Amino acid sequence: MTEDKTTPLWEVNTREERSPWKELLKDNQYVISPHHLTEDKVRRVLEGEFKKIDKVPSKVIRFFTSSTFTDTKIERNTLMWDVYPYLRKLCQNFGYQLQVVDMRWGITDTASRQHMTPSLCLNEIERCQKDSMGPNFVTFLGNKYGWRCFPVKIKQVEFELILNYLKKVGEDISTLTNWFKLDTNFDKKKCSYYILQPLQKEKKTGGRRDTTAGIDQTQFRDLYDLVCRQLRLGAQNVLPASKRDKFFISITEHEIRKGIIKRDKDRKETFCFKRNLHQIKLTDPKSARYIDQHRTPLSVDEDAQKLLIQLRDHTIVDSFLKDNLQKNLVQYDVTWSSPRGIDIKRNEEHRDY
């Protein structure tokens, strides 16, 4: 697993052997009984009459874990090897199956080349909301706002407005027009879209190497920031405020909007854990994992931090307070430990947290 597991934080390794978790598990034993079927229901099933048979309730608790990855690695790993096995056993005592969705291992190379990461994450959140009998969304937020990707599908009218503006102000739009192509297969009565082309893939054909059509991967890395800047510049100047967000916000915020903010129906089944990491030293080599930065010159990405503060300290808080769900919002305050940031091996405060 990870180096965290080879050096356990506790003398007793498994949570089910430690207090108070051991007693909690013991006190919550449950005898699972089969779903009750009356004689009349059995007869109707045997005769093929299913319409009047009650639907068996779901016995699955499935929740999506949302966060930026680099700054919550220790927390996610600790949950994976210590907390989730215990919760699975506790759920089994009540006849439930626990399923945790962690997208660190959920994105294939093919999906990544097709730029499907954001849509796959949002689809998984929707599935959790549909299937889970209990909690369906948990987010961990620290001091990092995370990757602000541009949309992979942009309405034709919006994209062309952006292009026209960029040409007017003297921008070279050749990369944009090479990366995005108009797809006319959509319902023309609604609208057409410009689609971000997939990344190239090298493949072997007989004894030679060929590449699939699409964007060169090296070029994509080198010019990504340019495309981001141009799309945001255009969106800021030609699109109404309600249409701009998708060009500026992070994948994590997209997830939280779908998982918590827009989920008035069952927000009580969502949770947010906030970790405020104080006194971060930008000169420490690990600092880029914990806070959004510009590398040249070394400085905090103030735009990303403003979006994070609005999301973490206002929008999410207001959503929970509106439904009197203060208990679903948990905050921790931790001090930076040089040079690692979060250091559970050497810092007692961090181990306690």
Side-chain angles (χ1 to χ4, degrees):
M1 179 66 70
T2 67
E3 63 176 9
D4 302 325
K5 186 171 182 178
T6 58
T7 309
L9 298 180
W10 305 278
E11 292 182 4
V12 179
N13 238 351
T14 62
R15 184 170 289 252
E16 62 188 83
E17 298 175 282
R18 304 197 305 270
S19 293
W21 318 108
K22 180 178 180 180
E23 290 75 22
L24 180 64
L25 197 62
K26 183 178 178 181
D27 293 341
N28 285 280
Q29 299 293 330
Y30 180 73
V31 179
I32 304 172
S33 59
H35 182 65
H36 180 65
L37 286 175
T38 64
E39 185 177 336
D40 180 58
K41 288 180 180 178
V42 172
R43 178 190 61 77
R44 292 206 301 272
V45 169
L46 293 176
E47 292 177 356
E49 298 180 17
F50 296 102
K51 289 185 178 180
K52 297 182 180 180
I53 302 299
D54 297 335
K55 183 180 178 181
V56 178
S58 167
K59 301 295 283 184
V60 172
I61 295 175
R62 177 183 176 87
F63 61 85
F64 185 95
T65 53
S66 171
S67 75
T68 48
F69 291 154
T70 60
D71 61 328
T72 59
K73 179 180 177 181
I74 291 175
E75 288 87 345
R76 280 179 176 258
N77 287 344
T78 302
L79 289 166
M80 190 66 66
W81 68 260
D82 182 61
V83 177
Y84 295 154
Y86 174 82
L87 289 179
R88 286 192 180 95
K89 190 153 190 174
L90 184 63
C91 287
Q92 287 170 4
N93 283 355
F94 290 94
Y96 289 91
Q97 179 186 9
L98 179 70
Q99 298 176 359
V100 180
V101 180
D102 187 328
M103 296 304 285
R104 287 185 296 177
W105 301 286
I107 307 296
T108 65
D109 289 341
T110 299
S112 181
R113 284 196 305 275
Q114 297 285 340
H115 316 292
M116 294 172 62
T117 299
S119 61
L120 287 174
C121 291
L122 297 180
N123 288 341
E124 281 296 333
I125 293 171
E126 193 168 319
R127 182 180 171 193
C128 291
Q129 292 169 338
K130 178 181 177 183
D131 293 347
S132 183
M133 282 290 291
N136 56 58
F137 185 88
V138 178
T139 185
F140 309 101
L141 284 177
N143 297 68
K144 191 165 189 175
Y145 185 62
W147 182 34
R148 297 196 286 155
C149 62
F150 49 75
V152 300
K153 183 175 76 171
I154 305 174
K155 287 182 178 180
Q156 180 181 3
V157 63
E158 295 179 356
F159 190 78
E160 291 176 356
L161 280 172
I162 290 172
L163 287 183
N164 290 334
Y165 175 81
L166 292 173
K167 285 190 288 187
K168 188 165 61 175
V169 297
E171 291 277 343
D172 180 356
I173 61 170
S174 58
T175 301
L176 267 178
T177 54
N178 286 333
W179 286 15
F180 284 86
K181 300 297 181 183
L182 181 63
D183 187 344
T184 57
N185 292 322
F186 289 92
D187 186 348
K188 292 184 179 179
K189 293 181 180 179
K190 296 180 180 179
C191 64
S192 295
Y193 288 86
Y194 278 86
I195 306 297
L196 179 64
Q197 299 304 289
L199 300 181
Q200 291 178 351
K201 177 187 177 184
E202 190 177 80
K203 62 178 182 179
K204 291 183 179 180
T205 306
R208 65 182 187 185
R209 291 180 178 272
D210 295 321
T211 54
T212 60
I215 305 170
D216 177 78
Q217 297 200 34
T218 301
Q219 183 196 55
F220 189 74
R221 289 192 299 270
D222 293 344
L223 299 180
Y224 189 89
D225 288 344
L226 167 67
V227 172
C228 271
R229 182 188 65 77
Q230 289 185 329
L231 287 173
R232 289 172 188 165
L233 174 64
Q236 185 69 41
N237 285 279
V238 300
L239 297 183
S242 61
K243 305 291 184 181
R244 294 177 201 154
D245 276 359
K246 57 182 175 284
F247 295 96
F248 291 89
I249 68 175
S250 66
I251 289 183
T252 304
E253 178 158 355
H254 279 294
E255 293 171 355
I256 292 170
R257 287 187 178 194
K258 187 172 185 68
I260 296 177
I261 298 165
K262 296 181 180 179
R263 196 65 182 176
D264 291 335
K265 180 182 176 183
D266 58 356
R267 192 174 288 122
K268 67 180 185 299
E269 304 296 357
T270 67
F271 298 85
C272 176
F273 295 87
K274 296 165 51 179
R275 183 201 63 207
N276 291 328
L277 189 54
H278 301 284
Q279 301 175 22
I280 296 176
K281 294 183 179 179
L282 295 186
T283 53
D284 284 348
K286 304 282 188 181
S287 64
R289 296 183 180 181
Y290 292 89
I291 192 168
D292 308 279
Q293 294 182 6
H294 297 299
R295 299 305 296 172
T296 350
L298 181 61
S299 60
V300 172
D301 183 340
E302 295 294 348
D303 290 339
Q305 286 294 292
K306 287 177 183 176
L307 290 167
L308 172 67
I309 291 169
Q310 178 60 42
L311 173 68
R312 184 192 64 191
D313 299 338
H314 299 286
T315 308
I316 294 176
V317 173
D318 292 344
S319 295
F320 282 125
L321 292 181
K322 182 173 69 174
D323 293 341
N324 196 28
L325 293 172
Q326 294 90 330
K327 62 182 179 59
N328 292 39
L329 181 63
V330 183
Q331 178 171 316
Y332 300 92
D333 288 280
V334 187
T335 305
W336 178 265
S337 178
S338 291
R340 295 172 178 268
I342 295 293
D343 189 347
I344 58 176
K345 289 183 180 179
R346 300 171 179 82
N347 190 304
E348 185 176 350
E349 178 195 5
H350 293 182
R351 283 197 298 273
D352 291 342
Y353 149 72

